[in-house]
Every structure is written in structure tokens, then in C-alpha cells.
Amino acid sequence: MTEIKDVEVKIDVLHPNPVIGLGVPLILTEGLTPSYKEYKSLAALEVDFAKETSAYKVAKTEFDQKNKARIVAVATYVKTTPAPGESLMEVFEKFFGKTWHFAIFADATPTEILPASQLVEQKEYKFVMLQSDTKTDFTPFIKMPRTLKYFHAKKDESLVAAVVGDVANLPVGQATWKFRKNFVGITPNDDLTGTEVDALHEMGVNTYLTKVGVPQTSEGLATIGEYIDFYHGQDFVKSDAETRLQKLLVENDKIPSNDMGVSMVGSTFTSTLETAGQQGIIEKGESGYLYTIETDKFEDGTEENVRDRVYAGVRFSYIPQGAIHKIRVNGSVVSTN
């Protein structure tokens, strides 16, 4: 069923000069017929997917991590000669509006995943997890920040499921995706040279390796020069604002189409941005969190919007809070001679 809602928040990324739990995974796997189901435990999932199936193995990796999601969703599609509505992309589109936020493809090749990545980029919401042991597989996805790319040498291990299970369900804004460490069931890619790791990073690709004796993610890149927490923070703002504004519409007998109604909308959106600031999504300045909100009068909207009772007069911007990923220290030694 297509998601039905009365509120839509769109965020455009600007590049100026420098100045609800969104971690549920969706495992897409081959099946006899299309289906979608959410599981609260590995035992419950095993009723439908035996231990030797790829769906079970991916789910187990997610459930084995310390910050695992409260639920894991699984969708099945027909790979060989699918009937109308049964293909991977048709199933992906059908269930796009469900509660999941990170799509993991248990049985698909990068070529098969590409249309799903394109859809996520078009919608500017949610993420596709892409894992491969072949560097050239990442080339078509280099400029796709919502396809999170991970190189991993062992095909039988789901590094992307471990990443989601470790960090995706932490409070958005309070964790970077670099330095995620000690994944259960994942072997570090310690055969990679420093030059090879740098080459991956230059493609916006992450990996998992050992540094100072600790297995950890090499970076938290979404694409070249952009970071996963930046986009995850956008999704929080969008999701939280839509939830609050929908609640505003439902819980009030009427939102008047005058200054009072506009003020109610603006105040509700302010609550979202204040919360985002408290969580570390929005940077803080001397006088508060660095965001702006502008609202127009309802009657200044288009003739069509006024007629249809649509208010589209809210505009906002914010400066995202980053994280320190490297530290360089300059020092000097005073000679006693």
C-alpha cells in the first residue's frame, strides 16, 4: 500500500562556503512470492527462513551487534521469470513506505541493485547498503550519497548488516559512522594496503580494518567529501517534522488559515529543529542552534493552494554539526644542550 500522508517535508542541500529510530533494516531476498514481514527476534525469523538462507545469515549478523534494531524487516521477490508485481524493483517500490530505513540486498548483484539506488536518490530519503569485494562494482554509485558503499573481501559475511546493527539505531546525530568497532562475525580487511584504502575513500567507499589493534570502520563516507551522519540527520529532520505536523493536524479541531495557524505550524517546526540541535544534528552558536525558519502568510500562497487549503509557506535552513575524524598535532622539543 502506498504511504498516505498530509505532510511532506523536502530538504535541499546547499553548499555555502565553509562555515523515531531511523535504523530499521530491510532485507530483500529471493522467494516464491512477494511478501513483507517484520521480526522482533532471530527465532521468529527462523520460522520463515532457515539457518542456511542468506536472509537468515544477514539478519543474524544484524541481531548479533550491540545496538541492533528492535525489528528487522524482510521482503521477498521473485528473481526468475517474475509475474507482474513480483520483481525486485516492484517489491522495493511497493514496500518503500514501510518502517525500514536501510535496505540490504541479500541475493542481488550491484547491477540489480542500481535501480533501487536511483529510486532512493530520487526520493532523497532512506538508504541502500551496497557491499562488494570488487572495487569496480562501486563505480556507478560514486555520486549516490544514499547508497552507502562498503568494500569487504569475504562474500559470506555481511559487513553492511553489521554496520547497521552497530550504529544506525543510535540516536541520530550522536554518533559518527567512522570508528565503529569490534563487529561480531566480521573479519577485518587487513590485507588492504594504505594506498588501497585511500583509493577506496577517494571513491566514497568505506571498509573494515584493524587500526592500533582494534577492528573498526575505516570511514563514515556517504560519497566523496560527504558523510553518512549528514544525510541521516536530514532524514531525522524530515521524519520528525512530518510526524509532529501530522499530529498537529490530527489533534486540533482546526488549524486556522490566518496568522495564528501559521504560528502553530512554525512553532511545531521549531520544536523539530530544537530537538535536532539537542541531538547533535544542528551546530550550536553563542545564542543557540544555528537554524532559521521563515513563514509566509497563508493568503500569500498560490491561488491553487489557497483554494485547496494547502499551506506551503515554511522555509528553513540549518548548519549541520560535523565530527572529528582525524587529529593532527604539531609540537616541539626543547633541547637541554
Side-chain angles (χ1 to χ4, degrees):
M1 175 178 166
T2 303
E3 186 180 20
I4 299 174
K5 56 187 179 182
D6 300 302
V7 178
E8 180 178 4
V9 175
K10 183 176 178 61
I11 298 178
D12 293 320
V13 180
L14 303 178
H15 293 279
N17 292 326
V19 220
I20 299 183
L22 295 178
V24 174
L26 169 67
I27 301 169
L28 292 112
T29 187
E30 296 179 40
L32 298 176
T33 57
S35 66
Y36 177 93
K37 189 173 180 179
E38 296 175 354
Y39 301 89
K40 293 183 178 180
S41 69
L42 196 60
L45 186 141
E46 190 180 355
V47 173
D48 297 325
F49 298 93
K51 289 183 177 181
E52 62 270 15
T53 62
S54 56
Y56 178 91
K57 293 175 182 178
V58 172
K60 183 178 187 306
T61 298
E62 206 282 342
F63 276 123
D64 280 347
Q65 309 312 314
K66 61 182 178 180
N67 302 312
K68 61 182 179 293
R70 59 183 178 83
I71 60 171
V72 167
V74 180
T76 58
Y77 61 93
V78 179
K79 186 169 185 176
T80 305
T81 61
E86 295 184 340
S87 70
L88 172 58
M89 270 307 295
E90 288 171 313
V91 168
F92 187 68
E93 289 186 86
K94 179 179 181 180
F95 298 121
F96 192 89
K98 294 292 187 178
T99 55
W100 65 271
H101 210 78
F102 293 85
I104 301 173
F105 296 81
D107 304 305
T109 66
T111 300
E112 293 168 335
I113 294 171
L114 184 57
S117 293
Q118 292 168 335
L119 179 65
V120 168
E121 297 297 335
Q122 176 187 338
K123 290 183 176 290
E124 299 179 321
Y125 192 62
K126 300 191 175 184
F127 298 91
V128 163
M129 305 298 294
L130 177 66
Q131 174 178 318
S132 179
D133 64 343
T134 304
K135 298 181 182 69
T136 54
D137 282 344
F138 300 110
T139 302
F141 303 88
I142 286 178
K143 295 183 179 181
M144 294 183 175
R146 291 188 172 276
T147 298
L148 309 185
K149 298 162 278 289
Y150 286 83
F151 174 89
H152 194 54
K154 291 188 174 294
K155 294 182 179 180
D156 59 339
E157 296 178 354
S158 183
L159 171 58
V160 291
V163 171
V164 172
D166 178 82
V167 64
N169 289 280
L170 294 175
V172 182
Q174 295 186 14
T176 175
W177 290 58
K178 188 177 181 180
F179 310 118
R180 309 315 305 178
K181 60 186 181 293
N182 296 326
F183 294 158
V184 177
I186 304 298
T187 306
N189 295 283
D190 289 339
D191 289 337
L192 292 171
T193 66
T195 300
E196 289 174 320
V197 173
D198 289 343
L200 289 172
H201 291 170
E202 288 172 5
M203 297 174 67
V205 178
N206 310 285
T207 189
Y208 183 68
L209 42 73
T210 301
K211 295 182 184 179
V212 292
V214 180
Q216 57 192 276
T217 50
S218 64
E219 253 301 352
L221 293 165
T223 186
I224 304 168
E226 299 280 11
Y227 295 90
I228 299 170
D229 54 349
F230 171 71
Y231 290 95
H232 205 198
Q234 285 185 32
D235 286 2
F236 173 86
V237 171
K238 174 182 172 67
S239 178
D240 188 77
E242 288 182 350
T243 299
R244 289 177 188 266
L245 291 169
Q246 186 72 47
K247 187 176 180 180
L248 177 73
L249 292 171
V250 171
E251 293 187 349
N252 288 273
D253 292 328
K254 179 180 179 180
I255 307 297
S257 57
N258 55 26
D259 289 349
M260 180 183 294
V262 169
S263 177
M264 294 169 69
V265 172
S267 177
T268 301
F269 208 97
T270 298
S271 297
T272 285
L273 297 182
E274 282 291 314
T275 300
Q278 293 162 12
Q279 291 195 190
I281 296 170
I282 298 176
E283 188 57 274
K284 189 172 186 178
E286 294 182 359
S287 58
Y289 299 111
L290 301 179
Y291 66 82
T292 61
I293 298 178
E294 297 177 350
T295 56
D296 298 332
K297 291 181 176 294
F298 178 81
E299 58 268 27
D300 290 341
T302 66
E303 182 178 342
E304 181 181 10
N305 280 348
V306 171
R307 182 195 66 211
D308 294 340
R309 298 187 172 188
V310 175
Y311 180 60
V314 180
R315 295 177 303 282
F316 74 98
S317 65
Y318 66 82
I319 296 176
Q321 184 180 98
I324 295 174
H325 281 191
K326 294 182 180 180
I327 298 174
R328 294 189 175 95
V329 179
N330 295 315
S332 61
V333 177
V334 179
S335 175
T336 58
N337 295 330

